[in-house]
């Protein structure tokens, strides 16, 4: 018996699905994925195939190989030309013994702690019969029909031990959390465990004496509450949340990594970073003021501040070292009218459009080739490092007008004087730029920056032919 | 890195072994271009990465470059057998949306039938 859990479909009401795939949305204070894995265990399923889509990295990082639950989790991708029903048809023999199949965003809603084990040969649908989110089948004939034709097996032979609660709207998600916190969460606790007085507080939570907690509340791990906050009743707070002084939360769901500003009152709302979602109407408000709501994450960490300080020293050293060469060669370039700097609008580290001086060769000659090969064209950009508009190493700066979509895809913005775009000599596809930027933002480290700096520097030095042929690199 | 180029019923199969990074990609790209030009009957390509232990951004860049060559000829390219370490690189760079990725060589070949 095996299970296929599709995590690829994104929730239409939740922006940034890459950062918040639906399987990692918390219900109570645990991601939906965990409830599904526990559901599989209760049905006697230990082989789980997770089909990745949006936010695959987060899911794989969270669930690993399933050792935490004693299951075996493997991963696959659903390709763009496939539907979820196509996936099990790739290797039908794998599922012959039976299958639990979940293909839409939904939650396994239990009415009791212990599930009745399905009988052999049974079939039940997850969710309403007219519009199910998946099924469970242990009858090989039924399954073969599904694998052949792609239609959900019917009719069900028994009632499902849990129903699938669809998460189509923010209201459904909000209501589910409220149901959980009002008591249904006890159906998901292992026998012998009880939720004391309707409250749960995770690990590493700092609560000053002046905070008022009114049950039922659920607080995740690594949460900071500042003085004079009032939390609850019916507040679900995820992991790594910071609640500033005198803020009040009741009847609300705060997703992981959110910051709630000072004196704010959040009621009947879902907060996801800087997004305020009204569950009733489904309206989403993006607040651009980090003093109100914000993300606790990229750009605020200690390591970012540390590297910011450290990169200024090498930038100053480079600026002094390159100055004589820049002065000499740029004077010659201007005299021969073979190149100039043009100001182009790019987003700085704080996502503000700024003018960046970009060297534009007007014709290729020895001066422009040496000028670019020695990276002297980057000399004016070093000034941007001193004033925190750019990093010494990072990803390619983003054009605020032409690449708005690209910025939205990235979890942060660290434009670098030295960046990775020079590694390919074929015409750069936009997707390669995105790929480099994402790779950089995920794996950013001081050693990585040093590696990147030398790689780009030497690559430019060795690839003088690309400058000779007049290729431009932004 | 070791690369083998096989043709089965006009289906090109590239079997890669070892690290697929900035050090090796130039050599692989040249080998692929020569092989692909020499075998004009090959339209569809499967890249078997079951023995690739590591991929970096340069490796991904080359895979994107070769998918372009394949699609320019009217064919498709499937990847298969990604190890965890390799799969994570595809996930964080979201390049899994560009490629068709299958669990094993059999599935990847089957997809062309």
């Amino acid at each position: 018996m095996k299970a296929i859990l599709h995590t690829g479909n994104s929730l239409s009401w939740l922006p940034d699905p890459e950062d918040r795939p639906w399987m990692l949305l918390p219900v109570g204070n645990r991601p939906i994925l965990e409830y599904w894995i526990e559901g599989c265990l209760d049905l006697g399923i230990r082989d789980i195939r997770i089909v990745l889509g949006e936010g695959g990295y987060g899911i794989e990082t969270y669930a690993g190989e399933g050792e935490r639950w004693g299951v075996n989790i493997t991963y696959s991708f659903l390709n763009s030309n496939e539907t979820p029903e196509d996936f099990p048809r790739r290797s039908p023999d794998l599922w012959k013994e039976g299958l639990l199949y979940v293909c839409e965003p939904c939650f396994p809603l239990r009415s009791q702690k212990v599930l009745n084990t399905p009988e052999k040969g049974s079939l039940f649908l997850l969710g309403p019969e007219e519009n199910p989110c998946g099924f469970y089948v242990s009858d090989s004939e039924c399954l073969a029909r599904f694998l052949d034709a792609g239609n959900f097996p019917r009719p069900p032979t028994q009632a499902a031990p849990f129903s699938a609660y669809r998460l189509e709207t923010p209201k459904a998600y909000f209501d589910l959390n409220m149901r959980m916190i009002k008591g249904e969460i006890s159906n998901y606790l292992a026998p012998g465990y009880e939720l004391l007085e309707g409250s749960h507080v995770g690990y590493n939570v700092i609560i000053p004496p002046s905070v008022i907690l009114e049950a039922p509340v659920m607080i995740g791990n690594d949460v900071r509450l500042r003085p004079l906050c009032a939390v609850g009743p019916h507040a679900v707070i995820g992991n790594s949340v910071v609640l500033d002084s005198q803020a009040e939360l009741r009847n609300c769901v705060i997703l992981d990594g959110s910051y709630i500003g000072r004196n704010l009152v959040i009621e009947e709302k879902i907060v996801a970073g800087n997004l305020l979602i009204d569950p009733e109407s489904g309206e989403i408000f993006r607040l651009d003021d980090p003093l109100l709501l914000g993300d606790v994450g990229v750009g605020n960490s200690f390591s970012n501040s540390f590297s910011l300080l450290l990169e200024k020293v090498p930038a100053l050293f480079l600026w002094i070292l390159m100055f004589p060469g820049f002065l000499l060669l740029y004077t010659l370039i201007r005299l021969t009218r073979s190149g100039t700097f043009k100001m182009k609008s790019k987003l700085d580290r704080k996502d503000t459009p700024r003018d960046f001086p970009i060297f534009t060769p007007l014709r290729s000659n020895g001066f422009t080739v040496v000028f670019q090969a020695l990276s002297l064209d980057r000399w004016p950009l070093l000034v941007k490092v001193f004033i925190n508009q750019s990093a010494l190493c990072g990803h390619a700066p983003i054009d605020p007008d032409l690449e708005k979509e690209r910025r939205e895809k990235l979890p942060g913005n660290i434009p670098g004087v030295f960046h990775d775009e020079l590694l390919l000599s074929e015409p750069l596809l936009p997707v390669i730029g995105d790929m480099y930027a994402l790779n950089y933002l995920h794996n950013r480290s001081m050693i990585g920056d040093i590696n990147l700096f030398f790689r780009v520097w030497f690559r430019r030095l060795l690839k003088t032919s690309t400058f000779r042929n007049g290729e431009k690199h932004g | 890195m070791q690369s083998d180029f096989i043709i089965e019923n006009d289906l090109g199969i590239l079997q890669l072994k070892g690290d697929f990074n900035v050090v090796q990609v130039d050599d692989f790209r040249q080998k692929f271009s020569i092989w692909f030009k020499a075998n004009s009957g090959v339209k569809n390509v499967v890249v078997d990465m079951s023995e690739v232990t590591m991929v970096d951004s340069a490796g991904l860049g080359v895979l994107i470059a070769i998918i372009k060559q394949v699609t320019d000829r009217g064919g498709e390219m499937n990847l298969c057998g990604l190890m965890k370490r390799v799969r994570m690189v595809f996930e964080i760079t979201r390049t899994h949306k560009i490629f068709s990725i299958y669990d094993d060589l059999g599935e990847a070949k089957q997809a062309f039938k």
Side-chain angles (χ1 to χ4, degrees):
Chain A
M1 193 79 189
K2 290 179 178 159
I4 297 176
L5 306 179
H6 278 278
T7 66
N9 332 47
S10 55
L11 292 166
S12 56
W13 56 269
L14 192 72
D16 309 327
E18 196 63 48
D19 299 334
R20 295 186 179 85
W22 72 270
M23 268 289 191
L24 291 186
L25 277 182
V27 170
N29 56 354
R30 294 190 297 156
I32 294 169
L33 177 63
E34 235 178 87
Y35 293 92
W36 274 115
I37 293 172
E38 286 172 5
C40 290
L41 270 173
D42 286 348
L43 294 171
I45 300 169
R46 290 189 180 270
D47 279 322
I48 301 172
R49 181 71 63 96
I50 294 184
V51 185
L52 300 170
E54 304 285 358
Y57 180 75
I59 289 171
E60 188 159 354
T61 307
Y62 184 82
E65 284 163 18
E67 53 281 81
R68 209 185 319 165
W69 300 274
V71 295
N72 175 33
I73 297 180
T74 48
Y75 297 89
S76 296
F77 293 106
L78 187 70
N79 299 320
S80 54
N81 56 352
E82 290 178 312
T83 62
E85 286 77 29
D86 290 334
F87 179 77
R89 262 183 270 162
R90 281 191 200 167
S91 301
D93 291 347
L94 286 176
W95 328 109
K96 266 183 181 166
E97 289 170 21
L99 179 66
L100 171 75
Y101 177 78
V102 179
C103 60
E104 304 260 347
C106 59
F107 178 83
L109 204 58
R110 296 173 179 221
S111 53
Q112 56 192 29
K113 271 188 188 178
V114 182
L115 299 182
N116 299 323
T117 313
E119 292 157 18
K120 200 164 168 51
S122 62
L123 159 68
F124 59 79
L125 295 173
L126 301 173
E129 203 172 325
E130 62 281 4
N131 189 17
C133 319
F135 60 82
Y136 169 99
V137 61
S138 58
D139 176 65
S140 53
E141 265 183 46
C142 251
L143 190 59
R145 280 202 297 277
F146 165 70
L147 294 171
D148 286 343
N151 300 324
F152 273 26
R154 281 192 171 86
T157 58
Q158 72 168 84
F162 51 77
S163 56
Y165 182 89
R166 279 183 171 274
L167 298 166
E168 278 167 344
T169 60
K171 188 171 182 336
Y173 173 67
F174 184 79
D175 288 348
L176 178 63
N177 271 284
M178 292 301 117
R179 282 172 70 165
M180 287 289 162
I181 200 168
K182 282 174 188 169
E184 284 191 30
I185 193 83
S186 58
N187 291 338
Y188 298 84
L189 298 176
Y193 287 87
E194 278 302 327
L195 200 64
L196 281 176
E197 294 167 5
S199 298
H200 172 90
V201 179
Y203 298 111
N204 193 23
V205 176
I206 297 176
I207 306 174
S210 47
V211 166
I212 301 165
L213 294 180
E214 200 176 326
V217 289
M218 277 201 176
I219 301 176
N221 302 328
D222 303 312
V223 173
R224 299 285 178 277
L225 305 178
R226 297 263 160 80
L228 299 172
C229 287
V231 180
H234 308 129
V236 179
I237 301 177
N239 300 321
S240 308
V241 170
V242 175
L243 193 61
D244 214 334
S245 304
Q246 297 172 42
E248 288 181 39
L249 302 182
R250 46 183 174 260
N251 294 317
C252 61
V253 180
I254 313 294
L255 302 192
D256 293 0
S258 303
Y259 163 78
I260 311 290
R262 198 161 285 196
N263 292 322
L264 295 192
V265 179
I266 309 283
E267 198 171 355
E268 305 285 345
K269 294 281 183 290
I270 300 169
V271 175
N274 64 344
L275 303 174
L276 190 64
I277 303 169
D278 180 9
E280 281 297 326
S281 64
E283 279 180 290
I284 297 167
F285 307 96
R286 190 182 286 270
L287 297 177
D288 292 325
D289 185 350
L291 293 175
L292 296 175
L293 298 179
D295 275 310
V296 181
V298 177
N300 295 332
S301 65
F302 173 73
S303 60
N304 273 354
S305 318
F306 190 61
S307 63
L308 193 73
L309 185 73
L310 277 191
E311 71 190 0
K312 285 186 181 170
V313 179
L316 181 65
F317 176 73
L318 277 175
W319 191 85
I320 295 166
L321 188 76
M322 290 161 83
F323 178 63
F326 175 84
L327 199 66
L328 177 71
L329 275 169
Y330 192 57
T331 309
L332 291 169
I333 285 168
R334 291 304 296 145
L335 287 173
T336 53
R337 293 183 180 172
S338 49
T340 184
F341 279 94
K342 286 186 180 167
M343 299 308 267
K344 289 187 182 165
S345 182
K346 303 276 179 191
L347 291 179
D348 73 359
R349 289 180 81 133
K350 291 174 184 162
D351 283 333
T352 312
R354 306 266 181 195
D355 283 337
F356 278 56
I358 307 291
F359 182 69
T360 315
L362 301 172
R363 61 192 169 87
S364 182
N365 61 19
F367 298 135
T368 58
V369 170
V370 176
F371 189 69
Q372 289 177 94
L374 292 175
S375 296
L376 295 172
D377 56 327
R378 302 292 161 101
W379 182 82
L381 287 170
L382 289 171
V383 178
K384 300 266 178 197
V385 180
F386 306 141
I387 52 175
N388 284 344
Q389 288 182 8
S390 174
L392 187 60
C393 295
H395 58 74
I398 295 166
D399 189 310
D401 304 317
L402 304 176
E403 298 170 310
K404 207 173 168 184
E405 223 173 86
R406 185 179 164 203
R407 172 65 192 99
E408 283 167 6
K409 283 189 217 164
L410 299 177
N413 180 27
I414 305 176
V417 175
F418 294 93
H419 49 79
D420 233 341
E421 239 103 322
L422 265 170
L423 290 174
L424 283 177
S425 54
E426 58 256 30
L428 294 172
L429 301 165
V431 72
I432 296 179
D434 292 350
M435 194 182 78
Y436 281 150
L438 280 164
N439 202 15
Y440 177 79
L441 291 168
H442 273 284
N443 298 317
R444 187 167 188 244
S445 68
M446 208 175 292
I447 292 169
D449 276 359
I450 294 168
N451 189 317
L452 174 71
F453 172 76
F454 284 107
R455 202 166 67 220
V456 175
W457 184 284
F458 284 110
R459 199 83 182 176
R460 297 192 104 204
L461 204 60
L462 296 172
K463 289 242 166 178
T464 47
S465 59
T466 57
F467 302 124
R468 205 173 295 132
N469 297 335
E471 283 184 32
K472 292 173 191 172
H473 300 280
Chain B
M1 188 194 73
Q2 194 188 324
S3 53
D4 295 321
F5 300 80
I6 303 164
I7 299 173
E8 275 181 25
N9 304 325
D10 284 347
L11 174 68
I13 300 173
L14 313 186
Q15 283 178 327
L16 310 182
K17 285 176 192 166
D19 289 356
F20 192 46
N21 59 21
V22 68
V23 184
Q24 286 99 0
V25 290
D26 279 345
D27 181 45
F28 170 72
R29 188 172 35 189
Q30 277 176 3
K31 274 188 190 168
F32 174 80
S33 294
I34 294 165
W35 173 81
F36 198 57
K37 272 178 199 158
N39 296 283
S40 52
V42 173
K43 223 166 109 178
N44 298 323
V45 172
V46 172
V47 184
D48 181 0
M49 300 182 74
S50 54
E51 291 181 63
V52 173
T53 43
M54 178 265 194
V55 169
D56 69 358
S57 48
L60 286 178
V62 168
L63 287 175
I64 292 170
I66 68 173
I67 200 178
K68 202 169 170 291
Q69 289 186 46
V70 174
T71 48
D72 284 350
R73 195 181 271 185
E76 286 176 37
M77 187 169 103
N78 291 348
L79 307 184
C80 66
L82 273 54
M83 281 185 191
K84 182 176 179 180
R85 201 172 160 198
V86 175
R87 192 173 60 232
M88 294 288 247
V89 176
F90 278 77
E91 286 166 18
I92 61 168
T93 56
R94 295 176 211 174
T95 30
H96 62 272
K97 293 179 181 176
I98 303 165
F99 299 104
S100 294
I101 301 172
Y102 293 86
D103 295 339
D104 55 45
L105 186 60
E107 278 189 10
K109 288 201 282 193
Q110 185 69 27
F112 287 121
K113 286 180 183 166

